[in-house]
Amino acid sequence: MDHDEALTAIASAPDARALQDLRVRLLGKKGAITEQLRGLAALDPEARRTVGRELHERKSALEAAIEARKGALERAALEARLAAERVDLTLPGPRVPAGGHHLLTQVTHRLLDVFRSLGYDVAVGPELEDDHHNFEALNFPPEHPARDAQDTFWTTDGRLLRTHTSPMQVRYMRERTPPLKVVVPGRVFRNEAVDATHEAQFHQLEALVVGERVTMADLRGAITEMATALLGTGTRTRLQPSYFPFVEPGAEFAIWWTHPKTGREEWLELGGCGMVHPNVFRAVGYENVTGFAFGFGIERLAMVRTGVTDIRDLYRGDVRVLEQFRGVA
Ligand code: YSA
């Protein structure tokens, strides 16, 4: 190939390998220019000078063209790589899944909001209790049959995991003077045969109101107010006689509601209530006061609100179950 053809071939070499082949063919040990330079020896001095200069100029031109093409190929490769690796910074980033409160936490917060709005204080007590606060001071003497319904777990030093939130009635009253209004949310424990409606640990909410002339009508009013705040105006409530050693008279209370899943109207039994027993006031040193208390299971309320039929599903920590309850309470 002549000089111009060589320059054209270099300028259009498609890649580094083709360019290297051309370099070898033109400038390598056996390349065309090298061969011609070797041939100079056979020329007379005058021709050697002229042809020599011309050959060297061509050689330099070819070298420069090869370098230029090499640079152009490298830039093109870099541009192609940058285009392939291009990052669109305006695209949204990967979504981090947001956590949320457990259904039971949501229901508890909702209940506390309701009671705070009704002027109740909120208190919490120890989960590891003693017999005195959990039973004795609540009018369950030793060997009292009502203790059988609240079997629990005992430590070797004679303490126990509280079976209900009611012991906080005693602790709270001893720390204060009446009148008082308090709610106590918390975890409680029972030595239960676990099934779809019974766990060995669950949660309760306790309410206690003490004053000079607190009556059963106030108890009914408080339960109705709670039901109204939870379910709307006109919500009906029902008390049915029942027995708890620390109240007299005692009752079970229920709320009339429309089941959110079945659409049926029915009574929802929530828990126990009553007028604080005089023996409990004696145990905390209160005189000339009356009071009411009620307590109920938070799991039960959460389950009927959401249609969960097995209490164990609330504790399995299965995200497929839990994520169904974002912002439901
Ligand atoms: C009664 C009168 C008062 O003046 C104040 C409070 C009370 C309630 C009493 N302290 C009590 O614990 N009663 S209870 O044994 O009937 O439990 C109350 C609620 O806790 C039940 O209605 C039920 O909803 C829930 N519960 C009881 N055992 C349970 C349970 N929830 C889940 N698993 C269990 N094993």
Side-chain angles (χ1 to χ4, degrees):
M1 80 181 88
D2 66 19
H3 186 63
D4 286 343
E5 282 170 350
L7 287 175
T8 311
I10 290 169
S12 56
D15 52 33
R17 159 166 279 201
L19 192 60
Q20 177 62 10
D21 286 350
L22 279 169
R23 185 199 293 275
V24 171
R25 274 174 64 197
L26 296 165
L27 304 170
K29 272 192 196 143
K30 294 184 184 156
I33 297 289
T34 321
E35 293 289 339
Q36 290 176 48
L37 283 169
R38 236 177 252 133
L40 286 177
L43 298 181
D44 62 61
E46 181 59 37
R48 195 185 304 156
R49 205 174 306 120
T50 349
V51 178
R53 190 181 308 121
E54 195 183 318
L55 273 179
H56 277 293
E57 279 169 7
R58 277 203 226 144
K59 187 181 176 192
S60 304
L62 290 173
E63 281 171 347
I66 288 172
E67 278 314 302
R69 183 61 186 157
K70 189 176 166 221
L73 286 172
E74 281 171 0
R75 272 195 306 281
L78 183 63
E79 272 163 25
R81 197 174 134 206
L82 287 177
E85 292 178 2
R86 195 184 135 102
V87 177
D88 183 350
L89 296 176
T90 63
L91 286 175
R95 265 187 64 197
V96 180
H101 281 137
H102 190 280
L103 173 62
L104 294 175
T105 309
Q106 294 180 50
V107 172
T108 307
H109 286 174
R110 173 96 180 85
L111 287 165
L112 294 183
D113 281 350
V114 167
F115 282 102
R116 278 201 200 92
S117 76
L118 298 174
Y120 284 71
D121 187 18
V122 176
V124 288
E127 292 173 359
L128 185 58
E129 261 297 0
D130 51 41
D131 188 272
H132 173 78
H133 290 92
N134 198 84
F135 292 125
E136 286 258 17
L138 288 171
N139 203 29
F140 291 79
E143 314 303 332
H144 192 288
R147 285 185 176 222
D148 291 350
Q150 301 198 10
D151 189 15
T152 185
F153 306 95
W154 297 78
T155 59
T156 44
D157 64 0
R159 286 178 295 167
L160 56 99
L161 293 181
R162 66 177 176 188
T163 58
H164 49 174
T165 39
S166 305
M168 258 309 276
Q169 292 190 21
V170 178
R171 291 185 180 277
Y172 192 87
M173 283 193 279
R174 285 200 175 132
E175 293 289 310
R176 309 252 177 340
T177 49
L180 55 89
K181 274 170 98 168
V182 64
V183 281
V184 181
R187 191 153 55 142
V188 302
F189 307 83
R190 290 192 194 177
N191 184 9
E192 293 274 13
V194 171
D195 61 20
T197 51
H198 295 86
E199 256 296 355
Q201 63 161 17
F202 55 100
H203 295 78
Q204 289 189 336
L205 188 97
E206 186 92 5
L208 171 69
V209 172
V210 179
E212 263 181 24
R213 272 183 296 276
V214 177
T215 68
M216 197 93 183
D218 296 316
L219 166 62
R220 183 67 184 269
I223 287 173
T224 306
E225 268 186 291
M226 169 181 79
T228 305
L230 283 177
L231 302 172
T233 17
T235 307
R236 290 158 59 204
T237 55
R238 177 182 77 180
L239 302 193
Q240 285 186 314
S242 184
Y243 175 75
F244 301 95
F246 43 99
V247 283
E248 180 57 39
E252 273 171 6
F253 67 95
I255 296 177
W256 183 249
W257 82 331
T258 308
H259 195 291
K261 294 279 168 189
T262 64
R264 262 209 319 271
E265 284 195 288
E266 60 195 17
W267 286 110
L268 165 61
E269 299 277 358
L270 265 191
C273 64
M275 299 305 293
V276 179
H277 197 288
N279 286 351
V280 176
F281 284 140
R282 256 191 287 282
V284 298
Y286 279 16
E287 284 174 353
N288 302 323
V289 287
T290 54
F292 68 74
F294 59 92
F296 57 91
I298 294 177
E299 278 78 359
R300 182 161 172 67
L301 184 59
M303 286 167 74
V304 288
R305 274 182 84 111
T306 53
V308 173
T309 49
D310 192 324
I311 190 170
R312 291 166 290 195
D313 283 335
L314 298 176
Y315 289 102
R316 274 192 248 272
D318 185 335
V319 176
R320 290 169 304 173
V321 173
L322 299 179
E323 68 187 359
Q324 297 173 49
F325 306 122
R326 285 171 192 274
V328 290

